Amino acid sequence: MNRGNDPNPFDDEEPEVNPFSQGAGKSRMPNVVASTLGFGRKHDATVDIPLDNMNDSRKKEKELSTWEADLDRRERDIKRREAAVASAGVPVDDKNWPPFFPLIHHDIANEIPVHAQRLQYFAFASWLGIVLCLVFNVIAVTICWIRGGGVKIFFLAIIYALMGVPLSYVLWYRPLYRAVRTDSALKFGWFFLFYLIHIGFCILAAIAPPIVFQGRSLTGILAAIDVFSDHVLVGIFYLLGFGLFCLESLLSLWVLQKVYAYFRGNK
């Protein structure tokens, strides 16, 4: 028998494959790809994903969603204010306060975001407080002048009132109003600068050191003690003025703290 064409069972060589025949490469390509990529084996490599990275990514996603929600809320507030102003047909800077004799534009309910309206009302109370302090200071110093205190302290008290009321509005209250309405960092910085000067003046007025005309042009505690020896009624008025300046100083310090916390919370 002729066994010349029988394959040798102990031969390691693979049978020859015709690359041009149909289906010639189909049997080897999957095996080659599998052996190259390592699929289908028992000892394939595993990938470990650290849990810390997953937690960080989830935290960042949560922060982004919170930030987006805050932006959406601000956008809704702005659209609501614009719609309210447009429906009312009121110009943006129309003078509407005080109602009996409008001098300034002031509309917290429609122009200030809802979450900042309480803070703005307290700041407005602080501005009204310094107006009250300066007006009462003129009344008390006028009584002191009538009782023989001299005309110079009266003119100084008038100057304090005529300059303090408009400057306090222009230098720190209006910048704060516009800063809260437009979320402007520059206007917040302007407010902080001049509000600190305002607080310093209130503390100085509450003490009333004898550096200008014996300090009687301001109704502070030292001036009250000084006038008590001459006129008890004048001393009582000066003590009331001292109490007003003390309350204004405390309210201003509280407003400064709250505005700073609001500013840091929005940045």
Side-chain angles (χ1 to χ4, degrees):
M1 297 179 65
N2 186 10
R3 299 181 181 270
N5 295 328
D6 293 341
N8 188 358
F10 300 101
D11 191 2
D12 293 335
E13 294 182 359
E14 295 181 359
E16 295 181 358
V17 179
N18 187 1
F20 300 101
S21 62
Q22 294 181 354
K26 292 182 180 180
S27 61
R28 284 187 53 84
M29 286 302 294
N31 295 331
V32 173
V33 173
S35 62
T36 304
L37 299 179
F39 295 124
R41 297 187 178 182
K42 296 182 179 180
H43 301 289
D44 290 344
T46 59
V47 179
D48 295 332
I49 301 176
L51 294 178
D52 294 340
N53 294 339
M54 297 178 63
N55 294 333
D56 291 341
S57 61
R58 291 175 182 174
K59 184 178 179 181
K60 290 180 180 178
E61 290 178 359
K62 186 177 180 181
E63 291 177 355
L64 285 175
S65 60
T66 304
W67 181 68
E68 290 177 356
D70 185 64
L71 286 179
D72 293 338
R73 176 182 53 78
R74 292 187 185 183
E75 185 178 358
R76 288 195 300 269
D77 289 340
I78 292 173
K79 290 182 178 179
R80 180 185 60 81
R81 294 197 300 269
E82 291 177 351
V85 173
S87 61
V90 179
V92 176
D93 293 330
D94 184 38
K95 296 178 181 179
N96 58 355
W97 194 91
F100 56 87
F101 189 71
L103 294 174
I104 62 175
H105 175 76
H106 195 259
D107 192 5
I108 294 177
N110 293 322
E111 294 183 345
I112 303 301
V114 177
H115 62 281
Q117 288 183 3
R118 182 172 178 268
L119 174 62
Q120 191 64 43
Y121 278 120
F122 275 109
F124 185 57
S126 175
W127 181 70
L128 293 179
I130 190 60
V131 172
L132 176 62
C133 288
L134 293 175
V135 171
F136 187 84
N137 184 75
V138 171
I139 297 173
V141 172
T142 302
I143 296 175
C144 182
W145 167 47
I146 294 173
R147 293 287 182 169
V151 70
K152 292 181 179 179
I153 60 174
F154 170 74
F155 282 114
L156 281 175
I158 293 294
I159 291 173
Y160 297 154
L162 292 179
M163 293 185 63
V165 173
L167 287 179
S168 60
Y169 174 78
V170 172
L171 294 179
W172 61 263
Y173 181 73
R174 187 172 65 178
L176 176 63
Y177 187 90
R178 293 181 175 178
V180 176
R181 184 176 64 179
T182 61
D183 198 18
S184 172
L186 180 61
K187 289 183 174 59
F188 271 112
W190 188 271
F191 161 77
F192 288 131
L193 174 63
F194 286 99
Y195 201 63
L196 288 174
I197 297 176
H198 156 76
I199 294 175
F201 172 77
C202 292
I203 296 174
L204 179 67
I207 299 173
I211 54 177
V212 180
F213 302 111
Q214 291 79 37
R216 293 187 177 184
S217 61
L218 292 171
T219 56
I221 185 62
L222 296 181
I225 295 173
D226 186 35
V227 300
F228 247 114
S229 59
D230 298 331
H231 304 284
V232 177
L233 179 62
V234 178
I236 293 174
F237 271 89
Y238 270 64
L239 282 179
L240 291 176
F242 162 69
L244 289 176
F245 276 116
C246 287
L247 291 176
E248 175 65 17
S249 299
L250 293 176
L251 177 60
S252 299
L253 288 172
W254 185 85
V255 169
L256 178 65
Q257 178 186 2
K258 294 300 181 181
V259 172
Y260 181 73
Y262 176 83
F263 173 72
R264 291 296 302 270
N266 277 2
K267 302 301 174 187

